[in-house]
Amino acid sequence: SIQKKPYNIIIGLSEQNISLLKNNCPKESTIIIEKDKAHPEIEKFKAHGFSIIAGHTKQALKSLNLSSMERCIISTENDRKNIALAKLLISLIDNEHKQTIYICITNRDLNVLFKQDVIASDKRKNITVVTYSLYENMAKSLFLKHSILGEKTKIINSKDDFNMILIGDSNLAIELVYHISFLSTLPNENKLTLYLVGSNSNKFLHKIKKLFPKIEKIPHLTLEAKEINNESLDFYEDKVWESKNLTNILIATTDEEKNLDIAINLQDTTYIRQIGHNQFKTKVLFALYHNLGLGEEIDKNKKAFHNFYTFGNISQTSTKEILLNEELDLIAKLIHNNYRGEKDVKTEILYQNWLNTTAHKQDANKTQALHIDVKLLAFGLKRVNSKKSFDELLKINEEIFYNLLKNNNTIKEQLKSYKSSYFPNSFENTLLDKVARAEHNRWNAFHYLNGWQYNTQRKDDAKEHDCLQPLEDFNRDEIKETYQYDIASVYYMPQYLARGGFKMLHTIRH
C-alpha cells in the first residue's frame, strides 16, 4: 500500500538515520531497509508502525516499485557500501519521475570521486544525487547560526586582522576548516589567522594540506599549528587565548566529554576574570554530539557561561530541515539560473537546469548561498524566515537593500548588458564593489580548496581557470566582463532571499 503513492526509502539504521526517522519521517510513507536483522532498533520502529525490510539490501531494492519512490536516504555508516548501493539504485530506476537520492559520504576523497563518476555522467534519468556528511551538516548548521566574526561584527567595516582557534583533529574539525576558509572572505580583505591547537596539531595541519593542497594560495588565510597538550596547565595559560580580535574558539575533538572539559576549563581558568567583569567578547563553540543532558543548560546559563554555546548535536543535525535544506538549495539554484542568464524561476526550469549542471558548479553555488549572511552583514543587514508571500518579501527586501546602494539605477542598467568599460578602476569606492570583491574572493577560495589553479586559458578537466586571480589583476576585456556575476551575486540578494522565504532586516552591530 505504501508503494502505491509517493514514498521514501531509508537505507541503514545508522545513528543519524535513526534520529531522522524519529524527528521527521511519516511512518505511512516510509520504508526502512536494514541489513542487520538483529539491529536493536528494528523492533522499536515496528512497534511505532514503520514498514521494515530486514536482510539483504540489494535484493530488497530489486523487489520494490521504485517508480513511486520520491526520496532515498542512504546511510549505513560505511562510505563504500553507501556508494555501491547508490549506484545500484540509480541503475534500477527506469522512469521519468523526479527522484532524489541522498548518500552519506564522510571521506572527502571518496566523495569527490563519486561525484565525478556518477553525478556528472548520467543525465538521462530525472534523478538528483546529493552527497552529504553528518559533519558537513554540523558545520553548515553552526555557521548559519553563528557569525564567522562572533560578537565582533564591526570588524567587517574595518581593515583589522582577526583570529580564530580550532581545537581537535576530527572529521568535524576538517569540515570547520573548509567552511571557515571561504566564509571568512570579507569586503576589506581582512586577514584571518586560524590557530590549530592540540597535541597533534602539526599532524592535523599536514592532513589539511593533503586534503586541500591549494589552501595556502588563499591570500587572506593563514593556518598556524600550536602543539599543546590540553591535559596540561600550559594549554590554558598559553598566549594564544589572548590573540587580538579573537572572534571564535571552536572545540571539535572526537570525544564530546573532552570538548566539554576543555570548554569548562577555559571558562573557569583562562577567561574567568573577563567573564566576571563582563568583558569576554569571544564565542566558545564546542561540539556535544549527544548533548550529555548538559547542552541546553550551558546554553541557558549566560551568567557563568557567557558566550559559550554547544553545537553538533546529532539528533538536532539529522533533521529533514538540515539534511534536505531546501531553502538553501533553492537559493543555490536561483544563483545558478542567474549565472546562466535566465530569469525564469519556475520550479521545473530551476530543477532541470540544476540537474544538468556539474556537481562542482552545484557545490560552488551552495557555498555562495552560505556566504550570503556575510554579505548581508557588510550592509548592516540580516535575514529572518517569514511567512509573507514572495511579492510582499520582494517589496520589503528591495526597498531596504536598494536604498543602501549608490547609483542603484545605473547598476541595474549595467547588469542588463555588462561591458568591460564598466569594470571599476578601484574596488574601494563603493560598498557594493567591496562586497562583490569579497564574493569573487569566496569563489577563488572555493576553487583553491577543491584543487584548482590559475591558468591563462580555462580548462575545467585540468582544474584550471583564467578567472582564478584577484579582481585587480583582470586585464582582458572578456575577463573583466565576468565581474558582472560578482556584482549580480550581491545585487540580486533581495530576490534570492524572497524566493527562499526570507525577509531582510537591519541589524544592530556590536
Side-chain angles (χ1 to χ4, degrees):
S1 63
I2 290 177
Q3 295 179 74
K4 290 180 180 178
K5 53 190 177 184
Y7 71 95
N8 300 317
I9 298 176
I10 304 293
I11 299 179
L13 285 175
S14 63
E15 188 172 10
Q16 55 189 308
N17 269 354
I18 290 170
S19 293
L20 181 68
L21 285 160
K22 290 179 177 178
N23 287 330
N24 298 101
C25 291
K27 60 187 178 184
E28 62 275 6
S29 60
T30 301
I31 295 174
I32 301 169
I33 302 176
E34 169 54 47
K35 183 178 181 180
D36 181 8
K37 294 181 179 180
H39 195 291
E41 294 290 331
I42 287 179
E43 294 304 320
K44 294 179 184 178
F45 282 113
K46 279 185 180 179
H48 282 88
F50 280 93
S51 297
I52 299 177
I53 303 175
H56 201 284
T57 307
K58 292 181 180 179
Q59 289 181 358
L61 286 173
K62 292 176 181 178
S63 70
L64 292 174
N65 174 21
L66 296 176
S67 63
S68 299
M69 184 196 80
E70 194 168 39
R71 295 187 184 93
C72 178
I73 299 171
I74 305 174
S75 175
T76 67
E77 297 185 334
N78 183 305
D79 285 353
R80 294 183 184 278
K81 187 183 293 184
N82 294 343
I83 291 171
L85 289 171
K87 288 185 175 181
L88 172 66
L89 184 58
I90 292 169
S91 70
L92 293 173
I93 293 173
D94 187 22
N95 60 274
E96 297 182 357
H97 175 62
K98 288 182 185 177
Q99 295 167 307
T100 306
I101 302 173
Y102 298 85
I103 310 112
C104 180
I105 306 177
T106 299
N107 184 305
R108 277 194 158 270
D109 291 333
L110 282 178
N111 196 350
V112 171
L113 289 172
F114 177 73
K115 286 180 179 180
Q116 291 173 343
D117 183 35
V118 176
I119 300 181
S121 62
D122 194 345
K123 301 299 180 187
R124 295 167 297 169
K125 299 177 180 179
N126 212 0
I127 303 170
T128 299
V129 179
V130 179
T131 63
Y132 72 97
S133 81
L134 178 64
Y135 306 110
E136 177 187 10
N137 287 340
M138 285 178 179
K140 284 181 181 178
S141 300
L142 173 68
F143 290 117
L144 285 170
K145 187 175 181 180
H146 296 279
S147 168
I148 199 81
L149 296 177
E151 297 292 339
K152 303 179 181 182
T153 54
K154 63 182 180 181
I155 290 173
I156 204 164
N157 294 320
S158 74
K159 291 184 178 293
D160 295 345
D161 297 346
F162 65 109
N163 299 281
M164 296 179 69
I165 294 173
L166 173 60
I167 304 165
D169 56 1
S170 61
N171 286 325
L172 174 56
I174 292 169
E175 288 298 334
L176 292 172
V177 172
Y178 179 81
H179 283 78
I180 288 168
S181 298
F182 67 80
L183 287 175
S184 55
T185 53
L186 305 183
N188 290 308
E189 299 186 317
N190 311 62
K191 304 294 184 184
L192 166 64
T193 299
L194 176 59
Y195 292 100
L196 308 177
V197 178
S199 54
N200 295 309
S201 60
N202 283 304
K203 184 177 180 181
F204 181 57
L205 178 57
H206 180 75
K207 184 176 183 179
I208 290 294
K209 290 179 179 179
K210 180 176 177 291
L211 282 169
F212 312 117
K214 306 294 181 185
I215 193 170
E216 291 182 303
K217 287 186 172 292
I218 299 175
H220 77 275
L221 180 67
T222 300
L223 299 177
E224 185 172 325
K226 287 190 70 70
E227 195 139 316
I228 325 171
N229 189 340
N230 72 282
E231 299 292 335
S232 68
L233 184 60
D234 290 344
F235 181 89
Y236 299 99
E237 294 181 344
D238 195 90
K239 293 294 184 183
V240 71
W241 311 110
E242 301 173 14
S243 300
K244 186 179 178 181
N245 287 334
L246 182 59
T247 63
N248 294 300
I249 298 170
L250 301 131
I251 309 172
T253 76
T254 55
D255 185 341
E256 61 185 343
E257 291 191 28
K258 181 186 287 187
N259 296 341
L260 177 60
D261 183 62
I262 293 171
I264 290 174
N265 280 314
L266 285 172
Q267 183 272 339
D268 192 47
T269 303
T270 309
Y271 294 118
I272 185 64
R273 279 171 290 282
Q274 288 185 42
I275 293 171
H277 289 285
N278 198 28
Q279 296 172 345
F280 187 54
K281 302 299 182 184
T282 299
K283 276 190 177 181
V284 179
L285 308 159
F286 58 104
L288 287 186
Y289 308 111
H290 303 92
N291 234 342
L292 297 176
L294 297 171
E296 291 182 3
E297 294 302 316
I298 290 172
D299 287 343
K300 289 177 184 176
N301 188 350
K302 289 310 163 199
K303 184 175 181 180
F305 287 94
H306 177 66
N307 273 15
F308 283 67
Y309 301 89
T310 62
F311 75 101
N313 183 276
I314 292 174
S315 64
Q316 294 173 1
T317 304
S318 301
T319 64
K320 179 181 176 182
E321 290 75 20
I322 293 172
L323 176 60
L324 308 186
N325 212 336
E326 293 174 349
E327 291 170 347
L328 195 65
D329 282 356
L330 174 59
I331 292 173
K333 291 172 185 175
L334 291 166
I335 289 168
H336 176 62
N337 239 37
N338 189 62
Y339 271 99
R340 289 170 55 91
E342 298 182 15
K343 302 303 178 187
D344 196 331
V345 292
K346 292 179 181 177
T347 302
E348 184 60 32
I349 299 294
L350 285 174
Y351 178 82
Q352 287 300 329
N353 287 345
W354 190 251
L355 190 66
N356 292 326
T357 194
T358 65
H360 169 75
K361 289 181 180 178
Q362 288 179 2
D363 287 345
N365 292 324
K366 287 180 180 180
T367 57
Q368 182 175 327
L370 281 170
H371 194 258
I372 277 182
D373 290 323
V374 176
K375 297 182 180 75
L376 289 174
L377 183 62
F379 287 98
L381 301 172
K382 63 180 179 180
R383 57 173 168 159
V384 295
N385 286 103
S386 175
K387 295 188 181 297
K388 292 182 181 292
S389 69
F390 164 72
D391 289 334
E392 290 175 303
L393 288 174
L394 184 61
K395 183 178 179 181
I396 293 169
N397 292 351
E398 288 187 336
E399 183 176 345
I400 289 174
F401 187 68
Y402 294 141
N403 281 341
L404 297 173
L405 299 185
K406 295 179 181 178
N407 303 320
N408 176 52
N409 291 331
T410 301
I411 298 164
K412 187 176 181 180
E413 288 303 312
Q414 286 181 352
L415 284 173
K416 290 180 180 178
S417 180
Y418 195 85
K419 301 175 183 177
S420 60
S421 58
Y422 301 149
F423 191 79
N425 294 322
S426 170
F427 295 90
E428 299 292 332
N429 294 333
T430 70
L431 182 56
L432 178 65
D433 282 323
K434 286 184 178 182
V435 177
R437 179 178 61 184
E439 162 54 24
H440 179 73
N441 291 339
R442 190 278 320 160
W443 183 89
N444 283 353
F446 168 80
H447 280 78
Y448 283 134
L449 287 165
N450 286 276
W452 288 62
Q453 63 184 21
Y454 171 76
N455 201 341
T456 53
Q457 298 296 320
R458 177 177 174 178
K459 189 170 180 59
D460 288 7
D461 290 343
K463 289 190 174 183
E464 296 174 342
H465 208 294
D466 52 356
C467 291
L468 193 50
Q469 56 181 326
L471 286 172
E472 286 84 353
D473 292 344
F474 281 17
N475 55 15
R476 304 197 322 266
D477 285 347
E478 62 270 28
I479 298 297
K480 289 181 178 180
E481 288 171 6
T482 65
Y483 181 56
Q484 65 181 298
Y485 301 120
D486 299 312
I487 289 286
S489 74
V490 184
Y491 189 81
Y492 292 121
M493 285 195 300
Q495 290 92 314
Y496 297 155
L497 294 176
R499 291 281 178 193
F502 292 99
K503 178 172 69 174
M504 286 182 171
L505 289 177
H506 291 282
T507 184
I508 300 173
R509 291 201 180 98
H510 295 279

